[in-house]
Amino acid sequence: MAILTTETTHAIKKEFEHLSGEVRLIHFTKPESLLFVPGAEQGLFKETRQLLEEVAALAPEKIRLEVHDIQEEPELAAGYGVTRAPATVMTGDAVKGRIRFFGIPSGYEFPTLIGGILEISQGATNLSPATREALAELPASVHIQVFVTPT
Amino acid sequence: MALESSQVTADVVEVTEFMELATKYQIRGVPKTVINDSVEFVGAESENNFVSYLKKAAS
């Protein structure tokens, strides 16, 4: 059963008409396990992957989704600083830093996913000149973590 | 901001899936932003204020 409604699909397809450059979604997941392991992250692996597949399918010529098993490819995950799943690295030619999503980008965070795809593809942000200047003058790297819930 | 600067790593973390992070960062309300594990604030901030927090965290 699809996660995205027909209405949502149509709305996103319309927004994706403005996509320009390619966007890569590098998704790290874990295969479904038949065992319940106490203490292990019982995340929404299957649902997260399905959501990303449905979004990517709305613009397959512009959005490239790669799915990796974090346990099978730990070096690749480490290269992106990913140590937990589900995680999605969002990148493209316009991205100078690093953008990552941990967990399922659903609910209130779904527009963040779609907006992020558009900004990366268009290579444009609405940041003020003063902000751009401040970013250029940062004396050290910054790791911004925004903690959210989907509802 | 991560689009503009190679110095920036920006993460969105769905905290209900990573409860150990909720504990580590004492997440009581969302959104909560933590920068370099040293500067934090809850709720939305203006772009100018956000930049001030970034500068503080990077200093």
Side-chain angles (χ1 to χ4, degrees), chain A residues 6-87:
Chain A
T6 307
E7 189 181 352
T8 301
T9 297
H10 284 152
I12 297 171
K13 266 191 172 174
K14 213 154 173 49
E15 297 221 36
F16 281 176
E17 287 173 7
H18 303 289
L19 290 175
S20 175
E22 183 183 82
V23 177
R24 286 174 68 203
L25 302 178
I26 304 160
H27 181 59
F28 293 93
T29 188
K30 288 181 186 174
E32 278 182 70
S33 172
L34 295 175
L35 299 174
F36 174 75
V37 181
E41 290 143 355
Q42 295 297 311
L44 306 171
F45 298 113
K46 185 178 174 186
E47 190 173 338
T48 305
R49 177 177 177 166
Q50 183 181 342
L51 179 63
L52 293 171
E53 286 173 342
E54 289 183 20
V55 168
L58 298 178
E61 69 288 355
K62 296 287 185 187
I63 302 173
R64 185 152 60 107
L65 173 65
E66 303 170 16
V67 180
H68 301 276
D69 182 330
I70 194 172
Q71 293 168 325
E72 294 286 316
E73 301 183 75
E75 297 89 5
L76 180 67
Y80 291 105
V82 170
T83 56
R84 55 187 85 231

Side-chain angles (χ1 to χ4, degrees), chain A residues 72-118:
Chain A
E72 294 286 316
E73 301 183 75
E75 297 89 5
L76 180 67
Y80 291 105
V82 170
T83 56
R84 55 187 85 231
T88 308
V89 178
M90 300 173 65
T91 193
D93 287 346
V95 180
K96 296 189 177 79
R98 186 173 279 177
I99 301 169
R100 304 179 301 198
F101 213 116
F102 292 92
I104 184 168
S106 66
Y108 283 126
E109 297 315 312
F110 187 67
T112 305
L113 172 69
I114 302 303
I117 289 171
L118 282 163

